[in-house]
Structures are given as C-alpha cells and as structure tokens.
Amino acid sequence: MESTGTAVYCDDEEYAKQLKEFNETKAGVKGVVDSGAIKIPKIFIHPPEYRPKSTSTDSGPRVPLIDLENGKRMEIVNEVREAASTWGFFQMINHGVPLATMDKLLDNVRQFHQQPQEVKEEWYSDDNTRKVRLYSNSFFTEWRAAHWKDTLILLEAQQVEKQQLPQLCREDIIEYTKCVMRFKERVSELLSEALGLSGECLAKTECMDSVTLACHYYPACPEPELTWGIASHTDLNSLTVLLQDDVGGLQVLYQDKWVDVPTTPGALIIILGDLMQLITNDKLKSVQHRVAVTRTNPRVSVAALFFPSVPNMVKPYGPIKQLVSEKNPPLYRGTNVQEYVAFQRSKAPYASSSLPHFKLQ
C-alpha cells in the first residue's frame, strides 16, 4: 500500500480483491454514487503523476471544426487532410445525422444508466463475448486504477437484433446505428480523397465494416482530482465517431499539450485510431485523448468504434499499396487486429500507442 497525502491507492493484490468485490455488486460506478459516498473507493485513485492537471487556456489551439455544407468538395477535403494529418481528431457539423436522433439517443442512454440497480442488473456482465452488456471496469496490468464510468456496450451493433437491446433505448440505438454507418461511409470517402486516393479506397480495405457502440455514463464524482473517466489512450481501431452531451471533459493531446474539446451543438467528433495510422503509413495520425469527470454533472457519450468484420479480425493489415513507393517505403509490418489488441493489453496502463512495436526496423 502506498499513499500521497490523504489519497491512498491499491497495490496489485488489494486492487484485484476490491475490483472483484465492486464487480460483484453489479451496481457499477453509479451504485457508488447512489450509496452516498463522499470519498471514491481506492481502486479508482490514480497514481499522483497520472492524475488530472490543468489543460490549455481559451487562447490555446482550437480543435478543428469542419462544416460539411460550407465550401466546395475540394475545400472540405483539404480541411479533412489538414485535421487528420496533424490532429487526428476533429469535429464535423451539418453531417446529415438528424439532431433529434442524436439528442434522443443521449437522453435515453442517460435514462438507462440512471435506472435503479435492480432494473439494470440483468444487463450487467463481465463476459466480454456477450453481444450486449453493461459493465464498469476490467483488470489492467501493473497500475490497475479503475475508470469512473459505466458502459452499455453493443458488439457488432449493425447486426444486433431488436429484442437483444434494452427496451428503453432500443429504437434509438437501431436508428442511430443506421445513421452513423451511413455517415462513416461519407467520412471514409473524404479521408480517401484526402490521401490522394479514389473515394472508395479505404472502404476496400474492409477495416471499418463493423461498429461497436459504447454508451458511456460518467457519474458525478466526489473527488474528480483523483481519477479519470478514461485515462489517456489511443483508440486501437481505425475510426471512432463520438457523440457527446454538453457537459464537457473530453481532452485531446496536440503538440504535447492537452486541449479541452468544446461541446459544439450538433457536432460529431472524428477520432482516428492506430489501425488508420498504420494502413496510411503515418499519413494520418492516431491521437491520445482522455476524459475528465466533474464533481457536479454526470456526462454521457456514445462512441461508435469501427473495426473490421469478425472474419477480418485475423486478416493482416499493412500500409495501403498506393501509399508506398521506393521513396516512401512501408513503415509497418502487416498485423491483424487480434494481434494488435493482444499486444496493447499486455502493456501497462498509461503507456503510449503500440504502433512503434509494429514498425519495420
């Protein structure tokens, strides 16, 4: 056991014991809050060097905002190229996904998470092969600080049957999944053209054919200075489309400085993942991001994480042939998603991207 000031966090053995007890309650982080806790459990306390600190001020860099109805096609492609190659992270407005669909999904995800424990309990599971489940945290390695969030997750959401979904939000999940799948095709075309390739090029790689929906709920936290909603990480997949409410807390790393992401009404956030950086041979960038929690307001977001289809999870992915040449040789060896994910999970929390491990020497 170690301590800094009054904040005490767990060694590995104690963490494993407390996390097991926490998961067995099937109440999640929301259950901790509902119990009236004024201190967060020790499993959620992060080491001092990794705790939240201040971010950039309003005068700092601004996350790119791309209006899909403002300008000619080539102007939009140029904006996408600049944002994707420097930030790896940008917001889009006038994207075609109805605002009412987005708002209704956020509202009903919030209502789902705020239901009494006995109502949600049937969805709670630590079986990560279950198509639809509610969970809070998984074991990490070495430093095992848990995240202050609960998640309703839907694997291969585009194929989930209606009756498999919670009744409270099933219609909204189905409608939003259809919309975000169509929007992904539009983003894929823009990214392809930004790379100087034909619009269908990224689609042909089959790296974004399936979507996992992660419906996150970050309860208000009595000690937000000690924990994270999600600690710093890069996404392992190719592309993430993030829908968030107006609470804030999302931060992105840009030029070695953390930048607060504004809550822009009607916007969808595009986050490029490690697989995208690999197949584009570093032309487009994966990016570290994280979520801070607040003392007063719960936060809701829905992440649409695009992966290859299940059969293609073992398909080797390497740099796209059109992007490599004698002058621009491939920077990465081929790897499949299962291998990449397994290697990333073997690393300690707070570690940076696993991409360097797959670089050619």
Side-chain angles (χ1 to χ4, degrees):
M1 182 77 64
E2 300 183 43
S3 65
T4 299
T6 59
V8 180
Y9 47 97
C10 301
D11 59 28
D12 283 359
E13 184 177 351
E14 184 179 6
Y15 177 92
K17 177 178 180 291
Q18 291 196 14
L19 182 58
K20 181 175 183 293
E21 292 171 352
F22 167 77
N23 282 331
E24 286 175 350
T25 69
K26 297 187 177 182
V29 179
K30 181 67 163 54
V32 176
V33 175
D34 289 345
S35 73
I38 59 173
K39 297 283 187 182
I40 66 174
K42 287 183 286 187
I43 57 171
F44 292 96
I45 298 176
H46 289 243
E49 63 271 30
Y50 295 114
R51 291 176 192 165
K53 299 177 179 65
S54 60
T55 55
S56 66
T57 64
D58 291 340
S59 60
R62 306 291 292 176
V63 173
L65 177 64
I66 299 173
D67 186 342
L68 292 179
E69 290 186 357
N70 184 24
K72 297 179 180 179
R73 176 77 172 193
M74 189 49 64
E75 292 173 343
I76 294 172
V77 168
N78 288 339
E79 287 185 63
V80 169
R81 180 187 303 111
E82 176 66 19
S85 62
T86 57
W87 284 79
F89 188 108
F90 48 97
Q91 298 195 79
M92 285 184 156
I93 56 174
N94 293 319
H95 39 65
V97 180
L99 181 60
T101 299
M102 296 161 58
D103 287 346
K104 196 172 181 184
L105 178 61
L106 287 173
D107 286 344
N108 285 330
V109 166
R110 182 180 293 105
Q111 288 182 41
F112 170 84
H113 283 287
Q114 291 179 344
Q115 293 177 108
Q117 176 188 344
E118 57 270 21
V119 177
K120 296 182 293 182
E121 203 168 88
E122 65 173 299
W123 300 100
Y124 203 96
S125 173
D126 58 4
D127 178 5
N128 60 16
T129 66
R130 184 170 159 179
K131 292 289 187 182
V132 181
R133 68 184 177 110
L134 174 65
Y135 72 99
S136 286
N137 279 276
S138 303
F139 282 97
F140 300 144
T141 57
E142 295 184 16
W143 273 113
R144 303 176 185 269
H147 291 147
W148 193 260
K149 69 177 176 68
D150 297 328
T151 300
L152 174 67
I153 195 164
L154 297 80
L155 305 181
E156 297 179 282
Q158 76 281 3
Q159 296 179 1
V160 172
E161 298 291 335
K162 181 177 180 179
Q163 62 270 21
Q164 293 178 282
L165 300 169
Q167 185 171 0
L168 180 61
C169 48
R170 63 174 51 154
E171 298 293 346
D172 308 298
I173 286 173
I174 291 169
E175 180 60 25
Y176 182 75
T177 300
K178 292 176 183 176
C179 290
V180 82
M181 290 292 285
R182 289 194 296 267
F183 175 59
K184 176 264 302 184
E185 294 172 3
R186 192 174 182 185
V187 174
S188 176
E189 290 178 0
L190 288 169
L191 289 171
S192 295
E193 293 175 27
L195 290 163
L197 305 172
S198 61
E200 72 277 7
C201 187
L202 282 176
K204 286 182 176 179
T205 68
E206 301 179 320
C207 69
M208 295 183 281
D209 288 351
S210 182
V211 65
T212 289
L213 279 192
C215 304
H216 299 307
Y217 182 82
Y218 306 84
C221 179
E223 296 180 294
E225 69 279 5
L226 300 180
T227 193
W228 287 104
I230 304 178
S232 174
H233 67 287
T234 60
D235 288 352
L236 309 183
N237 55 310
S238 50
L239 178 77
T240 299
V241 177
L242 182 70
L243 168 64
Q244 64 171 351
D245 65 11
D246 60 358
V247 171
L250 180 61
Q251 300 168 358
V252 59
L253 189 65
Y254 177 69
Q255 296 181 346
D256 297 323
K257 293 182 179 180
W258 286 102
V259 178
D260 289 317
V261 179
T263 57
T264 305
L268 289 171
I269 297 169
I270 306 300
I271 306 171
L272 303 187
D274 292 350
L275 182 58
M276 184 66 74
Q277 181 167 335
L278 186 151
I279 66 173
T280 63
N281 213 38
D282 280 359
K283 298 289 191 299
L284 306 182
K285 303 298 183 185
S286 171
V287 63
Q288 289 188 56
H289 52 289
R290 64 192 187 186
V291 175
V293 291
T294 72
R295 195 178 302 274
T296 55
N297 296 312
R299 178 181 189 270
V300 175
S301 68
V302 178
L305 301 110
F306 288 93
F307 287 92
S309 62
V310 170
N312 284 337
M313 293 291 273
V314 294
K315 169 184 172 180
Y317 283 92
I320 296 169
K321 291 182 179 180
Q322 295 95 313
L323 296 178
V324 299
S325 64
E326 187 175 345
K327 291 184 178 180
N328 297 289
L331 299 176
Y332 299 96
R333 68 173 176 87
T335 184
N336 62 60
V337 175
Q338 283 189 358
E339 179 189 13
Y340 192 90
V341 170
F343 178 77
Q344 177 66 27
R345 288 180 177 173
S346 72
K347 298 171 64 178
Y350 315 109
S352 57
S353 164
S354 293
L355 283 170
H357 176 76
F358 295 89
K359 278 209 166 185
L360 295 169
Q361 301 301 317

